Amino acid sequence: MPHRKELKVKIVDHPLVQHKLTLMRRREESTSKFRQLMREISLLLAYEVTRDLPLSTHEIDTPLAAMEAPVLAGKKLCFVSVLRAGNGLLDGMLDLLPSARVGHVGLYRDPETLVAVEYYYKVPQDIGDRLVIVVDPMLATANSAIAAVQRLKQSGAKRLKFVCLLAAPEGVRAFNGAHPDVELYTAAVDERLDEHGYIVPGLGDAGDRIYGTK
Ligand code: PRP
Ligand code: URA
């Protein structure tokens, strides 16, 4: 395995993120607690991924004086959720950026081949004019992430970031190779993938844990 230094990924190492991730990894955590933690952690990830949004100024009146005050510049950004687990991150991010536009890419991983299969796709028409932040908690082989970003680029998306909660080194390497222009954010890069393409030690199947389907 190549040295981790070769992986191009921004690790969100804030203590609150790390603590909440540890709670989520625990086998015994309930569905409701897991979902709540995912929502809380998504706010912190959104804070980090939007750190470099451009600002302009706007004249306002405070109760005491007029001032030029900073406001977000340009068109509203667009979140894209990779269904279905991506919705676990999307909800909290929308709390923080309620005016954002939202796209959905429905993908599932074929359990035998681990190839990503698309079943739904809907994004804003003017996606090419917006910063696009793609969200999916898990980056394992990265087949899903690579396919989602490829599809978004075909729709005209030019400025993209990808946010996950957990990644495998194999997935980060594959994603960096396929989309070197897309900044990748995660809370942790785990040890490896197992023979079924699951992240180890990981947290299990994110979709099943969010929605209680297993
Ligand atoms: C999970 C996860 C990612 C994908 C990651 O989704 O949410 O989309 O697997 O694996 P990869 O990096 O190897 O492609 P899954 O296919 O289980 O679908 P779900 O979200 O509907 O549960
Ligand atoms: N998808 C998940 O939900 N978990 C993994 O570990 C790998 C893919």
Side-chain angles (χ1 to χ4, degrees):
M1 185 188 294
H3 200 277
R4 280 177 181 238
K5 272 198 291 201
E6 291 172 31
L7 304 176
K8 219 177 81 192
V9 58
K10 163 97 181 135
I11 302 206
V12 183
D13 57 4
H14 192 289
L16 286 176
V17 171
Q18 296 303 316
H19 180 81
K20 288 175 192 297
L21 174 58
T22 297
L23 298 180
M24 292 178 79
R25 288 180 188 271
R26 299 192 308 178
R27 176 197 293 271
E28 66 272 21
E29 215 57 82
S30 68
T31 299
S32 67
K33 191 74 200 292
F34 188 90
R35 200 156 48 211
Q36 181 197 329
L37 287 162
M38 180 73 87
R39 195 180 185 99
E40 290 168 3
I41 228 169
S42 69
L43 295 169
L44 299 162
L45 293 174
Y47 176 81
E48 196 57 41
V49 74
T50 54
R51 182 176 279 285
D52 60 357
L53 287 185
L55 290 171
S56 60
T57 59
H58 191 72
E59 187 169 334
I60 59 160
D61 296 311
T62 79
L64 297 182
M67 71 173 285
E68 284 288 323
V71 286
L72 290 173
K75 275 201 166 191
K76 307 281 184 296
L77 63 78
C78 178
F79 288 118
V80 173
S81 167
V82 180
L83 302 175
R84 71 189 152 140
N87 279 3
L89 286 179
L90 174 69
D91 294 343
M93 294 203 180
L94 282 175
D95 282 350
L96 210 57
L97 289 111
S99 304
R101 304 305 188 249
V102 180
H104 294 90
V105 183
L107 291 173
Y108 72 87
R109 243 181 22 156
D110 182 297
E112 299 300 322
T113 62
L114 303 184
V115 168
V117 182
E118 184 180 310
Y119 60 87
Y120 185 78
Y121 185 79
K122 186 85 179 175
V123 299
Q125 271 187 343
D126 59 356
I127 196 164
D129 302 335
R130 301 177 185 276
L131 170 66
V132 178
I133 299 181
V134 188
V135 298
D136 186 339
M138 309 303 273
L139 188 87
T141 63
N143 287 344
S144 307
I146 291 169
V149 169
Q150 187 59 36
R151 193 74 162 78
L152 292 165
K153 285 181 174 175
Q154 283 164 1
S155 295
K158 294 186 235 5
R159 291 178 298 133
L160 295 114
K161 298 184 182 207
F162 192 97
V163 186
C164 59
L165 183 57
L166 260 189
E170 296 90 330
V172 174
R173 204 177 324 126
F175 189 83
N176 288 164
H179 297 295
D181 54 314
V182 180
E183 263 186 285
L184 184 57
Y185 291 74
T186 188
V189 179
D190 273 9
E191 276 170 42
R192 61 183 171 87
L193 291 177
D194 73 7
E195 62 279 18
H196 304 293
Y198 276 85
I199 299 173
V200 179
L203 52 72
D205 187 299
D208 284 340
R209 295 203 63 191
I210 295 168
Y211 298 112
T213 41
K214 224 174 222 170

